[in-house]
């Protein structure tokens, strides 16, 4: 069923990721010095957010395959952890003291990780419930 509680959390995670995938370079003024071309870095982050959103929406549609949902959820969590690591790395490599105000955008994938973790826990709970019912048959 698509109307499960974890679908709401996966949908919210997908919405968060897709908002930042659309216009990442316009939302934040982030000089990316760790890549040769700063505009290319914006596209890399946008692509990572888009991939995260795509995985979240795909996971919602795979409601009959709970084990695959759990694996895709973990993949999405790992992708968001890599995004946080990249943001923190960029934050520490930026020169000057004005970096402290720009560090808040590094927490964006953290919200997605929390939502994905809750969804993963609920998917596991559903899977355990189905397995326990199958034992009685």
């Amino acid at each position: 069923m698509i109307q499960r509680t974890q679908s709401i959390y996966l949908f919210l995670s997908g919405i968060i990721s897709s908002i930042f995938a659309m216009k990442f370079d316009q939302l934040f003024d982030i000089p990316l010095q760790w890549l040769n071309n700063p505009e290319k870095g914006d596209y890399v982050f946008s692509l990572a957010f888009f991939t995260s959103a795509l995985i979240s929406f795909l996971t919602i549609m795979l409601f009959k395959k709970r084990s695959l949902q759990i694996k895709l959820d973990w993949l999405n969590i790992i992708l968001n952890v890599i995004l946080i690591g990249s943001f923190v790395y960029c934050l520490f490599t930026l020169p000057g003291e004005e970096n402290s105000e720009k560090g808040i955008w590094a927490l964006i994938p953290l919200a997605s990780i929390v939502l994905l973790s809750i969804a993963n826990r609920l998917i596991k709970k559903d899977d355990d419930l189905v397995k326990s019912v199958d034992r009685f048959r």
Side-chain angles (χ1 to χ4, degrees), residues 11-23:
F11 183 74
L12 289 175
S13 172
I15 292 295
I16 288 172
S17 296
S18 62
I19 286 172
F20 293 105
M22 288 182 207
K23 297 289 182 182

Side-chain angles (χ1 to χ4, degrees), residues 6 12 17 35 42 56 60 95 99 101 108 112 120 127 132:
Q6 56 266 30
L12 289 175
S17 296
L35 295 170
D42 290 341
S56 292
I60 293 172
N99 299 338
E101 293 100 28
I108 294 165
S112 184
N120 210 4
D127 195 34
S132 71

Side-chain angles (χ1 to χ4, degrees), residues 2 4 13 20 40 45 63 66 68 93 95:
I2 295 178
R4 298 182 303 168
S13 172
F20 293 105
K40 180 182 175 186
F45 284 133
F63 57 90
R66 288 173 302 278
L68 182 60
T93 59

Side-chain angles (χ1 to χ4, degrees), residues 1-11 57-64 69 126:
M1 283 194 252
I2 295 178
Q3 304 93 339
R4 298 182 303 168
T5 309
Q6 56 266 30
S7 298
I8 295 169
Y9 293 112
L10 290 168
F11 183 74
F57 293 133
L58 180 68
T59 305
I60 293 172
M61 294 301 138
L62 295 172
F63 57 90
K64 290 185 180 180
Q69 269 188 328
D126 277 356

